[in-house]
Amino acid sequence: MKILRKLAIGAAGGACLLALSTASLWELDRAFPPPLPAELTVSTEVQDRDGQLLRAFATPDGYWRLETRLDQVDKQFIDMLVTYEDKRFWDHEGVDVLALARAAGQFATSGHIVSGGSTLSMQLARLIEPRESRSLGSKIKQMLRAIQIERRLSKREILERYLTLAPYGGNLEGVRAASLAYFGKEPKRLTVSESALLVALPQLPEKRRPDRNLKIAHAARDRVLTRMVSSGLLAEREAARAALDDVAGLRRTLPALAAHAAYAMLPKAVPGQPLQLTIRKSVQEGLEQVARDAAAKLGPRLSVAMVLADSRTADILGEVGSANFFDASRAGWIDMTKIVRSPGSTLKPFIYGLAFEQGLVAQETLIDDSPVDFSGYRPKNFDMGYQGDVSIRQALQLSLNVPAIRVLDAVGPTRLMARFHQAGVRPVLPVNEAPGLAIGLGGVGITLRDLVQLYTGLANGGKTHTLHDGTEPANAERTSATILDGQANWQIIDILSGVKPPEGALQRGIAYKTGTSYGYRDAWSVGFDGRYVLGVWVGRPDAGAVPGLSGYVSAAPILFEGFVRSGLATVPLPGRPPGVISPRREDLPVTLARFGAGSDGLVQATVTEPAPTIIFPPDGARIDLDTNSADASPLVLKLQGGRAPFRWLANGKPLAGIDRRRTATWQPDGAGYSTLTVIDAAGRAASVKVFVE
């Protein structure tokens, strides 16, 4: 009985001691919790529409530390990491007693550390609370911290924190930053060789950095592969193949796309939450490369800006604010997609669109391209020449200035500006000036982004929506409006789709327009298919003049290359809407045959040019062309006056084609007298009689 009593007392005392110890440990755990913040301090990430990394910003302490989830990492890498570092990770409570016993035994027999007994939980404890020394006390503290961590976090959470904080050399922390820096890709699909290297690096990150100690990094990777074979995780052949892969001895920069938009997103940053743009990474990469290449060819101090938008959703899929954000010589930090500049001739399609809406013109309506005076305003063509009579289609395709201003005078500058405002775009007029005719030739300010927004209406059946990229305030106003009715919109598309591509460019089934601002300061090109719109600006950010700069030569090739490099499949342009016709010139009603409104509102056909006169050959001349020779030369014909286009006849037989030039050639059938006649657009004729020898 005494023995039983003693045993009972001993058991009770032991239980009390155990309870007291447990209570003490519980209180100590509560009093000295591990430093586990709810959210780690990680790099701010800016992602594309699909969650791909566009740009990251270093943490305040200068580290590239990207938050990592298990579903962002290749599963084989996780298996290799756990097998190499802590094979009983999923089973222990923070401390692996068997691993510690093994490490102690190896140390006792060899006199030095052969393998460590640290678990991943213990390593996480060291990462969140760096030790001051490698003493026994520090090791015990890590073990206690590991137990505390296991009580507070799930195994998955522990692993994710380790993958976010593990050191990989320099200012790289976490497996995502390391994978992007050393392999140029996210760790979702690492190769066996890459996984092995990333498993080895955190143990001695500075010593094993492949960009500084390539041989050491190579050997460390191979040791991991050998361990994986002995552990049964890899077959010998698979490990041998992985060992043949080279270890790249370089460190890449992390993705740095969409710089201007990314910086604009920073005010929205919330710790631990990525920021998202509407941009598509593949599109952005292509456009930025095109801009860099183009700027290098264009020369110093010139920059390039681009905006590509989806006309149906109003999402901006790619935007390049400058050719190089860090190029000070090009003022790369300035986002030229949002800077107001003169748009040159790029607004002309909307002038003609209003004329189509009002029934003032058809595509084959003739319009006069000759000098004109609008109460002191005398527009001139870009090449300072004039074409005479041209069709509306030709006037827009050739971007002739005088016809555009004639049409704008009829439809009204105020109406044009009101339509822009209705579409959510507010071009900037000179201070205290009302809309005037000059806006048709670029006498107004507009941003590239707003210009693309206007053109999304052309690509979207005449309906525009406010463009957005994710940088806008949550309460930003968005508008939807009709820029042109469906019939007029299609007429403009049909005309612009016939503009000749720049030399060397592939025809991609797009419609486009170019523009050059006064003084050769800005070159523009805006094009679209059945869905996507791309706008290009070229110039100097300081608005300096650039001799030779033009929309067709400087910006249009970038436009076509941009469509190619964007990787987007071409969407066919819309077909002719039901009921819309494009009559031939001879089928036009008299009111649409020629454009021009008199004071009485009736269409007039005034003729101000002198009648045509053939100045060579002169009447009655004898011309020796050696007609009996197989190499007989053609006769050059020249005239003065008249209204283009001109038709030539030889002996009553029309020569091929109608020419706007005042020169032509004629190959006689043989020797003898011939009568040459020219007829101008007003029906006036001139003739000469010559003798050909």
Side-chain angles (χ1 to χ4, degrees), residues 261 264-265 268 276-279 316 319 449 468-473 478:
M265 288 290 281
K268 293 185 173 185
Q276 194 163 44
L277 293 167
T278 63
I279 285 172
I316 292 177
E319 53 186 338
R449 182 163 167 166
H468 58 274
D469 61 5
T471 63
E472 304 81 11
R478 293 188 182 181

Side-chain angles (χ1 to χ4, degrees), residues 164-353:
T164 300
L165 297 174
Y168 282 91
N171 63 345
L172 295 176
E173 289 192 354
V175 69
R176 285 186 62 210
S179 182
L180 289 165
Y182 294 132
F183 311 132
K185 63 181 180 181
E186 292 278 358
K188 182 65 177 176
R189 287 179 174 80
L190 293 169
T191 66
V192 172
S193 172
E194 292 165 347
S195 294
L197 179 61
L198 293 184
V199 166
L201 281 179
Q203 298 167 21
L204 295 169
E206 292 303 323
K207 186 176 180 179
R208 295 177 178 177
R209 285 178 60 173
D211 59 324
R212 294 191 176 178
N213 303 298
L214 184 58
K215 289 184 178 179
I216 296 176
H218 199 286
R221 180 206 64 178
D222 290 349
R223 283 195 295 273
V224 173
L225 292 173
T226 301
R227 178 83 68 84
M228 294 304 103
V229 173
S230 63
S231 299
L233 189 64
L234 290 180
E236 288 189 13
R237 287 188 178 182
E238 186 178 13
R241 285 196 300 269
L244 295 175
D245 292 345
D246 290 332
V247 175
L250 58 88
R251 171 176 165 173
R252 300 168 176 82
T253 58
L254 267 64
L257 298 169
H260 298 91
Y263 276 100
M265 288 290 281
L266 283 180
K268 293 185 173 185
V270 176
Q273 295 184 17
L275 302 166
Q276 194 163 44
L277 293 167
T278 63
I279 285 172
R280 182 172 294 163
K281 184 177 182 180
S282 59
V283 173
Q284 186 70 24
E285 287 177 325
L287 295 186
E288 290 195 14
Q289 187 61 55
V290 169
R292 283 193 297 270
D293 294 346
K297 294 178 182 177
L298 288 167
R301 305 182 73 179
L302 281 166
S303 193
V304 177
M306 310 171 77
V307 174
L308 192 152
D310 184 333
S311 67
R312 300 179 188 174
T313 64
D315 290 346
I316 292 177
L317 302 180
E319 53 186 338
V320 181
S322 66
N324 186 335
F325 184 82
F326 298 104
D327 189 341
S329 68
R330 305 180 197 272
W333 60 86
I334 299 177
D335 185 355
M336 295 305 300
T337 68
K338 298 178 180 178
I339 301 300
V340 174
R341 304 299 283 262
S342 166
S345 297
T346 56
L347 300 181
K348 286 177 181 175
F350 303 100
I351 297 173
Y352 288 103

